[in-house]
Amino acid sequence: MQEQGAHQLLCAKLGLTEADKLDLTSWKVNLADRWDSLTDPVKITLIGKYTNLSDAYLSVIKSLQHACMEARVKLELEWVEAASLEPESKESDLTVYNASWRKLVEADGILVPGGFGSRGVEGKILAANYARIHKKPYLGICLGMQIAVIEFVRNVLGMTEANSTEFAPATPHPAVVFMPEISTTHEGGTMRLGARRTVLQTMSCISAKLYQQDQYIDERHRHRYEVNPDLVPKLEEAGMHFVGRDETGERMEILELVDQPTDHPYYVAAQFHPEFKSHPGKPSPLFLGFILAASKRLDRYLRSRDFPRSATQT
């Protein structure tokens, strides 16, 4: 009776007649009831710098929820301030440092979202390193992709002073650089924004299978820096493959670790923001893959999918 009364009140407010009344059955069955029925937990640790304001990551949180509903798992989201993973935090607040690392160790999956500025960057690099070395499912978004590249250049290619020119303009090993067409003197309205095409380089990568595409995908962007194209051959030779590139082939869009010798369950990062196109009932493919890997269901899911069809993404 209470639900019926609320429904009638909503219809009245919207000025709907008896014939126009909203049918919420599908919403209730496919969204509300499904969300309430989830019991199998998956613990995701988000490494950010705005963790005191969760709305800063609202699109990311919603995308995780969409993916969890599709994967039939219950989201347990842990927050870690990136700077609290850094050695300086150990000196200033050992309790917070230990608690932050415990959340990382106990995570089923580690997510590094986008962001700006240098604060917490070294903590994010440490998180990406932990995920890579300990084979924890990792999803990097925008800065999270750049972080993964910096970590790999430092610890696999041996360029220990590698960095982004955003954070260390004089770094001797620029792993991430300012995009040549972007103004260095004006910030307003100068980012690479909006929908851009990503051309898939191989049909055998995880991303192609998740998107069910064999040619290209279109996703939204918001960044000024990019992977240094001069380092790409060395990175790919060492096992970090850029399975998605822009239409020129010069700008890196999606990275994955190759199956051998790493045999990593899911180490995927994208320069674009996949969370911007996620919806209930149609989760972002990269978020869905991340959640499935974190809940140890990805292999079964991929085996159940048909071979990627021709690119007809809407």
Side-chain angles (χ1 to χ4, degrees):
M1 290 296 294
Q2 187 174 1
E3 287 185 5
Q4 183 179 2
H7 178 69
Q8 291 174 343
L9 179 61
L10 177 60
C11 290
K13 287 184 176 181
L14 294 176
L16 300 176
T17 66
E18 190 70 25
D20 295 326
K21 283 185 179 180
L22 295 173
D23 184 359
L24 300 179
T25 304
S26 178
W27 174 86
K28 184 177 185 299
V29 172
N30 295 324
L31 294 178
D33 289 350
R34 180 186 297 184
W35 181 256
D36 290 340
S37 68
L38 300 177
T39 57
D40 294 339
V42 61
K43 185 177 292 186
I44 302 301
T45 296
L46 187 151
I47 315 296
K49 62 180 293 186
Y50 317 116
T51 53
N52 290 328
L53 182 62
S54 61
D55 278 3
Y57 301 106
L58 186 59
S59 295
V60 172
I61 296 170
K62 292 300 180 183
S63 296
L64 289 170
Q65 292 173 347
H66 302 159
C68 283
M69 280 193 287
E70 187 72 16
R72 304 295 201 275
V73 292
K74 183 177 182 179
L75 177 64
E76 292 185 0
L77 184 59
E78 297 283 358
W79 299 85
V80 168
E81 180 72 26
S84 68
L85 299 170
E86 298 171 359
E88 293 79 6
S89 177
K90 185 176 183 179
E91 301 298 325
S92 61
D93 195 329
L94 182 60
T95 300
V96 170
Y97 176 84
N98 287 338
S100 297
W101 274 101
R102 189 177 305 113
K103 289 179 180 180
L104 203 69
V105 171
E106 294 176 353
D108 296 316
I110 296 170
L111 192 156
V112 177
F116 297 93
S118 61
R119 179 170 61 85
V121 162
E122 292 301 321
K124 294 177 181 181
I125 292 172
L126 288 169
N129 174 262
Y130 184 87
R132 182 177 63 81
I133 296 298
H134 294 274
K135 304 188 188 310
K136 292 272 189 180
Y138 176 87
L139 177 60
I141 301 172
C142 197
L143 178 60
M145 172 172 163
Q146 297 169 9
I147 289 296
V149 171
I150 295 169
E151 187 280 322
F152 200 87
V153 174
R154 286 183 183 181
N155 298 307
V156 178
L157 299 187
M159 303 177 189
T160 56
E161 295 183 67
N163 213 323
S164 168
T165 56
E166 179 182 4
F167 313 127
T171 175
H173 302 298
V176 176
V177 296
F178 206 81
M179 290 186 293
E181 72 271 28
I182 301 298
S183 170
T184 58
T185 58
H186 297 85
E187 291 192 358
T190 60
M191 289 190 290
R192 183 171 180 250
L193 294 168
R196 307 278 177 158
R197 180 147 294 175
T198 293
V199 180
L200 296 166
Q201 306 298 298
T202 173
M203 290 178 284
S204 63
C205 65
I206 290 176
S207 299
K209 295 174 182 177
L210 288 170
Y211 275 97
Q212 284 290 286
Q213 304 293 342
D214 63 6
Q215 297 178 28
Y216 62 83
I217 58 174
D218 295 323
E219 290 281 11
R220 290 168 60 187
H221 293 66
R222 190 173 184 267
H223 64 109
R224 294 189 181 92
Y225 290 81
E226 63 177 341
V227 177
N228 185 349
D230 294 338
L231 284 178
V232 168
K234 291 182 179 179
L235 288 164
E236 294 207 309
E237 184 179 353
M240 176 173 278
H241 282 201
F242 293 94
V243 301
R245 303 188 181 197
D246 77 339
E247 292 175 294
T248 70
E250 294 296 317
R251 183 158 287 145
M252 304 303 114
E253 297 282 9
I254 308 174
L255 69 80
E256 295 181 10
L257 293 184
V258 295
D259 291 339
Q260 297 295 333
T262 61
D263 195 30
H264 199 290
Y266 193 86
Y267 197 93
V268 179
Q271 185 60 71
F272 50 78
H273 287 265
E275 70 272 23
F276 289 166
K277 292 179 68 175
S278 183
H279 300 281
K282 189 178 180 182
S284 158
L286 296 189
F287 274 85
L288 178 58
F290 175 58
I291 291 296
L292 288 167
S295 56
K296 296 180 172 57
R297 303 180 183 191
L298 180 60
D299 287 345
R300 182 176 61 187
Y301 176 83
L302 292 179
R303 287 196 300 270
S304 71
R305 309 292 284 174
D306 293 330
F307 194 77
R309 62 183 184 274
S310 297
T312 57
Q313 183 188 22
T314 58

